[in-house]
Amino acid sequence: MSAGEEGVRAGFLAWLDERAGLSALAALAREKRVPLHRHTAWYYLGGMTLFLFTVQVVTGILLLLYYRSSADEAFESVQFIMTRVPFGWLVRSIHSWSANLLVFVLLLHMFSVFFLKAYRRPRELTWITGVLLLFVMLAFGFSGYLLPWNTLAFFATQVGTEVPGALPVVGRFMLRFLRGGDQVTGGTLTRFYGIHVAVLPAATTLLLAAHLLLVQKHGMSVPGGEAQGRASGPPRSLPFFPNFLLRDAIGWCVALGLLAALAALFPWELGEKADPFAPAPAGIRPEWYFAWMFQTLKMLPGHVLGLEGELLGLLAFGAGGVLWLLVPLLDSGRDCRRGRAFTVLGWVVAVYVAGATAFVYLRRGP
């Protein structure tokens, strides 16, 4: 490179740094370090979650180029994507598989944070924004399931929207709000489409920005046992850039290869177009991340303590969600017995969710 070209390059970088503050960002990247201990592997789940969400955004934008959100054209537009658009079947399959892997990795990330007690001071808000992001991702899955307008999605949405409709006082309003009327119709599809591509992305942007800012501010937590074990010497750590980031990137490449393999070997099926007047097919069940709630409601008796079993289950789910969101405020770390009780509670929740989900998918019959 000649002296003139070098001068132009240096001048451009100086101009860009003055306006964008690149030197400050570079200094921050050089200073950021990741604690090294036997639980360090769990730190990679956060980056993996962000990568899978990025895959969702990119593939979702590509699908939007051809998708039409009406009951008359939605199914045909997805069919066109899968049969006529070059690599359209691959993009749709990657979008569907990455959605499932995203929820799975996000659940692993949440439970790893929970069991490592990384939600304690000063990271309470980091936990709360993370749990809210989980709720938003589940809403993404629920709203996106209807968009192909096929038979399974139509009747699963019909069943799913009936669940909040069973709530007292607000149930009727919530059912009509979700469906856009009393029944699942083309208006429901349009409403879910708007929620899926506008409302939820906006909420995700705000929550994700807050979550990443809090992670950057407080850094990555070190489990109490590891911190005490290293008290006699300087804590071991790894530079975030480039060491940790390169390891993160290797995991992203593996995940991308896995997504490509799943999409190629097990392409996501479209099924048949929804017919509101046809009977519901046997064995309708929700996506796997809602299956444990579906099974719980089925196991409850018709009436418990004078209340309908389904209503009692919904109230329990709501109370459990609020409790899970407020875990940092309930387990501050000052009471060891309370901390152990929350650990046991976490294992009970994890085992029950996994067991109920497996039961739904492994049992035979509807």
Side-chain angles (χ1 to χ4, degrees):
M1 183 180 293
S2 65
E5 292 175 336
E6 183 66 28
V8 171
R9 177 175 178 272
F12 173 74
L13 291 177
W15 179 88
L16 190 62
D17 180 43
E18 182 182 357
R19 287 151 181 82
L22 296 182
S23 59
L25 294 176
L28 183 64
R30 287 193 298 269
E31 293 173 2
K32 185 176 176 62
R33 302 186 70 84
V34 179
L36 273 180
H37 48 78
R38 56 180 176 149
H39 299 296
T40 298
W42 297 110
Y43 294 151
Y44 295 99
L45 292 176
M48 183 62 70
T49 303
L50 183 59
F51 170 76
L52 291 172
F53 178 73
T54 304
V55 172
Q56 283 291 99
V57 172
V58 173
T59 54
I61 291 173
L62 294 176
L63 293 174
L64 285 179
L65 298 177
Y66 296 94
Y67 180 75
R68 298 179 181 178
S69 59
S70 70
D72 294 330
E73 298 178 300
F75 182 86
E76 286 76 12
S77 66
V78 178
Q79 194 173 53
F80 179 81
I81 290 171
M82 296 183 66
T83 58
R84 302 289 298 276
V85 177
F87 298 104
W89 64 273
L90 181 63
V91 173
R92 179 176 181 256
S93 292
I94 289 178
H95 188 74
S96 300
W97 277 113
S98 63
N100 285 271
L101 286 179
L102 171 60
V103 175
F104 179 72
V105 173
L106 189 53
L107 288 172
L108 286 181
H109 181 45
M110 179 188 69
F111 278 110
S112 69
V113 170
F114 181 88
F115 289 121
L116 292 176
K117 306 296 184 183
Y119 53 75
R120 289 176 174 170
R121 182 180 179 182
R123 297 177 178 84
E124 297 93 338
L125 289 178
T126 309
W127 167 267
I128 291 174
T129 54
V131 173
L132 291 176
L133 278 170
L134 172 63
F135 294 161
V136 172
M137 292 302 113
L138 294 178
F140 264 118
F142 182 68
S143 59
Y145 194 56
L146 180 65
L147 299 188
W149 198 246
N150 56 28
T151 300
L152 289 177
F154 176 85
F155 286 102
T157 302
Q158 194 171 57
V159 173
T161 50
E162 287 175 354
V163 172
L167 291 171
V169 183
V170 298
R172 176 72 175 169
F173 168 79
M174 292 185 64
L175 184 141
R176 289 181 60 84
F177 175 79
L178 290 172
R179 291 181 175 181
D182 292 324
Q183 304 296 328
V184 177
T185 63
T188 311
L189 175 63
T190 303
R191 184 160 296 205
F192 273 42
Y193 174 76
I195 292 173
H196 193 76
V197 304
V199 177
L200 295 178
T204 302
T205 301
L206 294 175
L207 288 172
L208 188 59
H211 189 72
L212 294 177
L213 179 63
L214 290 167
V215 170
Q216 180 60 44
K217 176 177 176 57
H218 299 298
M220 298 178 179
S221 67
V222 179
E226 296 294 330
Q228 294 172 5
R230 302 289 180 185
S232 58
R236 297 176 58 204
S237 62
L238 180 75
F240 176 82
F241 183 84
N243 304 59
F244 187 83
L245 185 59
L246 286 175
R247 298 182 184 186
D248 240 347
I250 292 174
W252 300 343
C253 292
V254 172
L256 190 60
L258 177 62
L259 285 174
L262 289 171
L265 298 175
F266 307 100
W268 211 262
E269 296 181 358
L270 179 58
E272 300 179 356
K273 185 174 181 178
D275 181 3
F277 301 102
I284 285 290
R285 59 192 178 193
E287 287 289 89
W288 63 270
Y289 37 85
F290 293 121
W292 67 276
M293 291 187 284
F294 170 78
Q295 182 60 33
T296 302
L297 293 176
K298 288 187 65 175
M299 292 189 303
L300 290 172
H303 290 83
V304 180
L305 300 175
L307 294 175
E308 292 186 6
E310 184 178 3
L311 173 58
L312 186 63
L314 292 177
L315 293 176
F317 291 151
V322 173
L323 174 66
W324 199 255
L325 187 68
L326 300 180
V327 159
L329 307 180
L330 301 173
D331 177 26
S332 61
R334 297 175 182 176
D335 188 339
C336 294
R337 289 179 298 178
R338 181 178 296 184
R340 288 192 293 267
F342 269 87
T343 299
V344 173
L345 174 64
W347 279 113
V348 170
V349 171
V351 171
Y352 178 78
V353 170
T357 303
F359 179 80
V360 171
Y361 279 84
L362 294 179
R363 69 182 179 131
R364 298 182 179 181

